[in-house]
Amino acid sequence: AARLMAQRSGLHLIEGALAMPADKYTYQPTGGQMTFGELIAHVTGDNRTTCASFSGLTPPEEPKLSPTAPKATLVAALSRSVAFCDSAYASVSDAKLGEPVTWYGTRTTRAEPLLGLLTDWADHYGQQAMYLRLNGILPPTARK
């Protein structure tokens, strides 16, 4: 179930990133919030860290990602990080969920980051949807 949820949620994140026009990647609703580009870069980095932690896989090498990089660069990096997470989810069986791992410096089981990523993606897609709506764009999941 988590694997299927991750596949759908990862696609939603990519669709949200694609829906925002390139000139709006610097948009931020308030000064205390991330720009849209920062949001995409943040999710990309977290995907690599979290999916590596619960799977034990090493993410592919990536150049340092700047939140001010062009939209195409940010979307491509996000897409690659989601693909890495797809492979991470595919590598973990139910029998491994109780095994110990380290996630952001804390010892836990594989289940916590594996499930935690799903809640993180839901939160960040919600951010994307808000940013899109504030710019007059219907979020991808609202179009279906």
Side-chain angles (χ1 to χ4, degrees):
R3 192 175 296 129
L4 291 174
M5 290 175 69
Q7 288 170 350
R8 281 192 302 271
S9 296
L11 287 176
H12 293 160
L13 288 167
I14 294 166
E15 290 169 349
L18 288 168
M20 184 63 90
D23 66 336
K24 297 290 186 179
Y25 265 60
T26 56
Y27 174 77
Q28 66 186 130
T30 68
Q33 292 175 287
M34 291 185 266
T35 66
F36 196 82
E38 288 171 333
L39 175 61
I40 300 305
H42 166 75
V43 170
T44 299
D46 188 54
N47 288 353
R48 295 171 53 79
T49 299
T50 299
C51 293
S53 74
F54 73 73
S55 69
L57 299 175
T58 301
E61 287 294 319
E62 286 278 342
K64 176 125 174 85
L65 186 62
S66 169
T68 59
K71 172 184 175 176
T73 300
L74 289 164
V75 172
L78 175 64
S79 298
R80 288 188 302 273
S81 75
V82 168
F84 172 65
C85 287
D86 286 344
S87 66
Y89 274 95
S91 75
V92 178
S93 68
D94 291 350
K96 292 182 177 182
L97 292 178
E99 294 176 353
V101 298
T102 300
W103 184 35
Y104 286 107
T106 301
R107 293 296 288 167
T108 187
T109 64
R110 285 185 198 281
E112 185 177 6
L114 183 142
L115 296 172
L117 187 67
L118 297 176
T119 61
D120 193 54
W121 280 0
D123 176 55
H124 289 313
Y125 180 74
Q127 285 179 279
Q128 282 184 327
M130 177 189 65
Y131 285 33
L132 289 166
R133 286 186 185 275
L134 288 170
N135 281 281
I137 302 164
L138 195 60
T141 55
R143 296 180 198 158
K144 296 179 183 175

